Amino acid sequence: MKTTGDQFLVKKINKSIVLDTIREHSPISRAAVSKMTGLNKGTVSSLVQELIDNGLILEIGTGKSSGGRKPVMLLFHETAGYAIGVELGVSSIRTILTNLNGEMIEEDQRPLDTTDRDQVIEELFATIQAMIERAPTSRYGIVGIGIGVPGIVDEKGQILFAPNLDWEHVDLHTLVSDQFGLPVTIDNEANAGAVGELQYGAGRSALNIVYISVSEGIGTGIMIGGELFRGTAGLSGEMGHMTIEANGRKCRCGNKGCWELYASASAHPNFDFKTLLRLASDGEADGIRGFYEIGEYLGIGISTIINTFNPELIIIGNQISRAERYITSAIQQTVASRSLSYHRKHTTIRFAQLETRSTLLGAAYYAIAGFFSKDRATLV
Amino acid sequence: MKTTGDQFLVKKINKSIVLDTIREHSPISRAAVSKMTGLNKGTVSSLVQELIDNGLILEIGTGKSSGGRKPVMLLFHETAGYAIGVELGVSSIRTILTNLNGEMIEEDQRPLDTTDRDQVIEELFATIQAMIERAPTSRYGIVGIGIGVPGIVDEKGQILFAPNLDWEHVDLHTLVSDQFGLPVTIDNEANAGAVGELQYGAGRSALNIVYISVSEGIGTGIMIGGELFRGTAGLSGEMGHMTIEANGRKCRCGNKGCWELYASASAHPNFDFKTLLRLASDGEADGIRGFYEIGEYLGIGISTIINTFNPELIIIGNQISRAERYITSAIQQTVASRSLSYHRKHTTIRFAQLETRSTLLGAAYYAIAGFFSKDRATLV
DNA sequence: TTAGTTTGTCTATCGGTTAAACTAAGTTAT
DNA sequence: ATAACTTAGTTTAACCGATAGACAAACTAA
């Protein structure tokens, strides 16, 4: 049954629009909100009053007059609540605390010397608990926890398969949810990275972007129309396993010639990523050529992505960012020669702007977005 | 500026819901619509009355009583208008006339022995004009024209590049629009096919489907959340040019190792499609093996599509359908061994149900959909 | 015949938006 | 200094569409 329209729906829509407008344009006056949104001044006034009562926005004195009465400036109350973002990596757990604007307030990093499920989860609980305790008191407290994990996650927040952790079928959502009694979102790290970059990084104001997370493997997060594309069971975006050599190397996924075997940070047959970086920075031919080859293979997959999605923006993130200067030209040249010209014209390729925080900020954003969508439904 | 909510929006939403419900469940009573949609009986009554006044639905006598007053059955008035769908092929132009339910009323096919722009367009105008004249008189007349073309079309309906017709930069939308003064939609044939299958064929009630049109080349239409995914400039879905052999055969697109070079109906190095079909039906090893190889390569690309989109359904259509029995098992085996198991579980692979009419029906649907979305906006 | 059920309409009310009047508080011109 | 103009924000009345519930119509079942 589709959602039918009634007066409450109208109010919910308009309240969202007003809140979003204030969030994006703080500080701003009621009159300006009315002009920007097209909503009547009176409507804006009453909705703003409710948002103030809800503690989500603040009046912050008067602004400059432009020939008449001074406007009362409104501010999004970014510290009315806090969100926790976690990146569960293979060798470390990183955690941040953000305000409702997604600005980082606190940070924590713990090395992981095990992949044992129980030990990792114990450490995860500890870092989250510590972050909860470090959060300032606020009206809404911790509004949620978002976690990015290196693996395949279904729509219920269950980790189906995390090869680097050697985990299978871990219902992380239930575990964390039961422990803290807070809203929890679990997603794979590439999806979270895509969300982070679109909200706070290189992809702001873009609608269709593809985020490519390149480290040991390759993961991709696909944002379509400003929304994460999840596929039927929440399993979309495993483009690391697209075939680029029909009879290529065998992959642990069962396929042959997967992209990530040729284009990831660990793709070089002789040197690992750190060694390659050292060689390249020393100007050694082995390092330079190693990265050039990786860049070429990245370009091959990126060309397919461009032809498939015709995105505004492709963002390359995670470990490989550290080799940006060594691989950029190889990528650009390969894409220029391999992708369809009309498609290429509309696509920009960039490295992640948030550096190593795309996933963390994206994870925290899940919590913030969840809070507001709930808020909009219930607090009308 | 986002659309803000007001009473008109509410009415538009509800009127759409009522109309859609009647379209999908004709014949149906007002009471049943109310129960299905959750809308109040009175609301349904008044919206139905308006739709009757608009000529979009009809009262068709009473139905069976279930222990009380007999219901008045409502019918979608499918002949209140007609739509034209055109498939501009390389060797022929096919045209259909449908009612507002997308049911074919008239059909026309004209061979094309030239790819000359002016001659083709003259023929195109002639077939459309003939179809307009064959349409029964109706309240809304011809509500629009949809055209599927074999090439890259941008969001304005301009053909950027149609290799098989040898056309570049033809503003077909303006040409047809000026000639007939009707709403016109131009899209590539794979997109139109995807829409056709989702609306009327194998993909009904699915949300995420990928339609693969396999003939001389390979085109793909991607439906996400029930909507066609168009990309930033309307150029999405050229997966025929994804790389499956990094150093494979040279493609006219500039890339190497494109999928369509290995998996299209014209991919066999020695035999053309017709010959292969004849050989296979004669039980000749060359034909059987030829199709098996094409099926394997199709399976490689389909595996990438599954891992990328995790769609509910993949539909294979166009010319290759005629070889269904020779390639099915090769496709299934390859996909089973190459795609990620979790993803594969949620995806079904089928051949087009509308046979050679996916594109035509999809093109006509563009016109119908355009009519209703306009109608909903203006006739409230 | 009577009681109960189902369909569809009608009426009062409610909650939202809007336009417009109004109050408040500034600036600019003379 | 004062009048005229501007801009900001609130209040009021009117409007519109949905809803709940009463009602009439038309049927079935006992």
Side-chain angles (χ1 to χ4, degrees), chain A residues 88 115 117 120-121 159-162 165-170:
Chain A
L88 186 54
T115 61
R117 216 195 71 147
V120 170
I121 285 173
I159 301 177
L160 297 180
F161 182 46
L165 286 169
D166 201 21
W167 286 10
E168 256 185 283
H169 290 286
V170 177

Side-chain angles (χ1 to χ4, degrees), chain A residues 7 29-31 41 45 67-69 71-72:
Chain A
Q7 62 227 40
S29 69
R30 289 167 175 81
K41 287 196 295 173
S45 261
R69 173 174 167 178
V72 177

